[in-house]
Amino acid sequence: MQKLIQDFSIPAVFAGFITFLIGISVSAVLVIQAAQILGANTEQITSWFWALGLGIGLVGMFLSWKLKYPVSTAWSTAGLALIIATGSGYSLNEAIGAFLVCGLITAVLGYLGIFEKILTLIPQNLTSAMLAGVLLKFGIELFASLKTDWGFILSLLAVYIVAKKLTPRYSIVLTVIAAIALCPVFLDFHTPTVTWSMAQPVWMTPDFTWSAILGLALPLFVINMASQYLPGIAMIKSYGYQPHVNQLIGGTGLIQTVLAPFGCYSVNIAAISAAVSLDDQVHPDPSKRYIAGISCGFFYVLMGLFAATLTSLLMSFPHIFIVALAGIALFGTISHNIALAFHDVSDREAALMTFLFSASGVQFFGIGSAFWGLLFGFAVAFIMKLNIKK
């Protein structure tokens, strides 16, 4: 506890909050839609948020504290897309059984170290190119929004640039405060009426069927590995940390297995949002950035306990509020990974193609462009290094 107090910092807490905000803002509505497609009622949907918030938050807090680097956890947006696309063919109880099996497979393969062996075969410049490509859209979306919300965007950019020049460590903190203050000035925003109430968990008995296991559990596992764990672990490595892959994958899989009967469809390592908690704006000392991971987990736990209330409050902010904060908060990470990706001249062709493919946003078989971009770049690098005699 004494070390936690010594390492505590306000920028780290704000970074954790932004990580949490990015993690839920885009897809909280999709959680509701996915649960409804499976036939969940209002109480069961609230239970989904309760289980997701507690599972994601507790494992993120524990792993960040134990491993001493920021471990940001999240649910899988790609997984939600899969459930929405295929969920009508399963009952709620069958889906719950599939979520439990998916968590169990993740935990077993994680603790056995199989995924870690695969990661050692992938060059860091390609993973950095993949990450830069995935994150690029957030920076572009920020500046594209100038067309409709130029006053809000330019004001925030001005605050960020001045703060970055005068006090780099607090630049994101000041930008968040400015965004909240400027919201009513430039945007159509009205403070919502808040009624606090504790969420109640609802037990949903798992029903194990081969159709749900093969059609939902296994595809969900593959999508989580490709769209969450692969870029998430690469993100941690890109900042100089040595991720404990077995514990990260095994721990998240275990908590998903335990909470699946309450609606926890996935607990994963965060990919895009994790960048905010890893950047040097959190703290100049990398050994003290784990506070951001603990803070992010804390906000997820709050969301779980006050699921309906807190989610509706955060979703009351206009979409451009999230777009602007995400884009600005990810500036450092985008530039960091671009620098790593294109540092080695001999591998720039493969890195460029990985970067562009990942930035394209295309999907095949329900798996996002990050996975396919990395796979394509790996093939290009292999071909470029072949010793072909003329």
Side-chain angles (χ1 to χ4, degrees):
M1 181 60 70
Q2 185 177 358
K3 180 171 175 56
L4 281 175
I5 296 172
Q6 290 174 346
D7 294 344
F8 178 87
S9 68
I10 297 298
V13 174
F14 269 79
F17 177 71
I18 295 173
T19 303
F20 158 74
L21 193 62
I22 295 171
I24 72 162
S25 61
V26 178
S27 56
V29 175
L30 296 181
V31 174
I32 298 172
Q33 187 179 354
Q36 287 175 335
I37 283 177
L38 293 170
N41 58 35
T42 302
E43 290 76 18
Q44 290 169 330
I45 292 172
T46 300
S47 181
W48 275 48
F49 278 112
W50 176 88
L52 287 167
L54 261 66
I56 292 168
L58 291 175
V59 75
M61 291 173 70
F62 174 75
L63 289 173
S64 295
W65 167 77
K66 182 182 179 183
L67 303 178
K68 293 299 182 287
Y69 53 80
V71 178
S72 301
T73 41
W75 60 58
S76 170
T77 302
L80 285 173
L82 173 71
I83 297 169
I84 292 169
T86 64
S88 59
Y90 309 103
S91 69
L92 176 61
N93 300 93
E94 285 178 321
I96 292 295
F99 302 158
L100 194 153
V101 170
C102 176
L104 190 60
I105 294 172
T106 304
V108 171
L109 293 185
Y111 283 127
L112 288 178
I114 294 174
F115 193 72
E116 185 175 21
K117 294 176 182 177
I118 297 173
L119 284 178
T120 59
L121 303 175
I122 305 174
Q124 185 175 9
N125 69 313
L126 294 187
T127 58
S128 293
M130 173 194 69
L131 293 171
V134 170
L135 298 174
L136 182 65
K137 65 179 180 181
F138 289 87
I140 291 176
E141 192 174 1
L142 169 67
F143 288 98
S145 300
L146 283 168
K147 185 176 180 179
T148 54
D149 297 285
W150 61 270
F152 181 69
I153 299 296
L154 287 179
S155 298
L156 271 194
L157 284 171
V159 171
Y160 171 76
I161 292 168
V162 172
K164 188 72 174 178
K165 174 66 176 177
L166 299 178
T167 173
R169 193 178 164 201
Y170 289 87
S171 57
I172 295 299
V173 175
L174 294 174
T175 303
V176 172
I177 294 172
I180 295 172
L182 292 171
C183 226
V185 178
F186 291 101
L187 306 175
D188 184 18
F189 173 74
H190 304 284
T191 306
T193 302
V194 178
T195 303
W196 293 97
S197 59
M198 295 285 286
Q200 298 295 323
V202 177
W203 174 271
M204 290 160 268
T205 303
D207 184 8
F208 301 101
T209 63
W210 282 113
S211 61
I213 291 172
L214 297 176
L216 188 56
L218 292 182
L220 184 61
F221 167 76
V222 172
I223 286 175
N224 289 345
M225 286 293 169
S227 64
Q228 296 292 142
Y229 288 106
L230 189 62
I233 290 171
M235 187 79 74
I236 295 172
K237 289 182 70 175
S238 74
Y239 279 91
Y241 298 103
Q242 292 300 317
H244 300 69
V245 178
N246 295 3
Q247 296 183 50
L248 294 175
I249 297 179
T252 50
L254 181 61
I255 197 75
Q256 177 182 331
T257 304
V258 172
L259 292 174
F262 299 98
C264 184
Y265 80 93
S266 82
V267 177
N268 304 143
I269 301 300
I272 296 170
S273 58
V276 179
S277 292
L278 290 161
D279 196 64
D280 58 8
Q281 293 175 126
V282 175
H283 201 287
D285 184 353
S287 68
K288 295 184 179 181
R289 294 177 197 166
Y290 72 96
I291 297 295
I294 293 176
S295 300
C296 176
F298 173 76
F299 287 115
Y300 268 109
V301 170
L302 274 185
M303 185 210 76
L305 294 176
F306 301 97
T309 303
L310 194 58
T311 302
S312 62
L313 175 64
L314 292 171
M315 295 302 293
S316 67
F317 283 96
H319 178 64
I320 187 61
F321 176 86
I322 307 299
V323 168
L325 282 182
I328 292 174
L330 291 170
F331 278 166
T333 302
I334 295 171
S335 61
H336 172 79
N337 281 285
I338 286 176
L340 288 176
F342 298 106
H343 177 71
D344 191 341
V345 178
S346 63
D347 288 330
R348 281 186 182 172
E349 200 76 26
L352 176 64
M353 294 191 186
T354 302
F355 172 72
L356 295 175
F357 202 143
S358 300
S360 69
V362 298
Q363 290 192 7
F364 298 105
F365 310 110
I367 300 175
S369 60
F371 174 78
W372 299 114
L374 184 60
L375 198 65
F376 189 77
F378 192 77
V380 172
F382 176 76
I383 293 170
M384 288 296 183
K385 291 179 180 179
L386 282 177
N387 187 16
I388 300 176
K389 295 181 180 180
K390 296 182 179 179

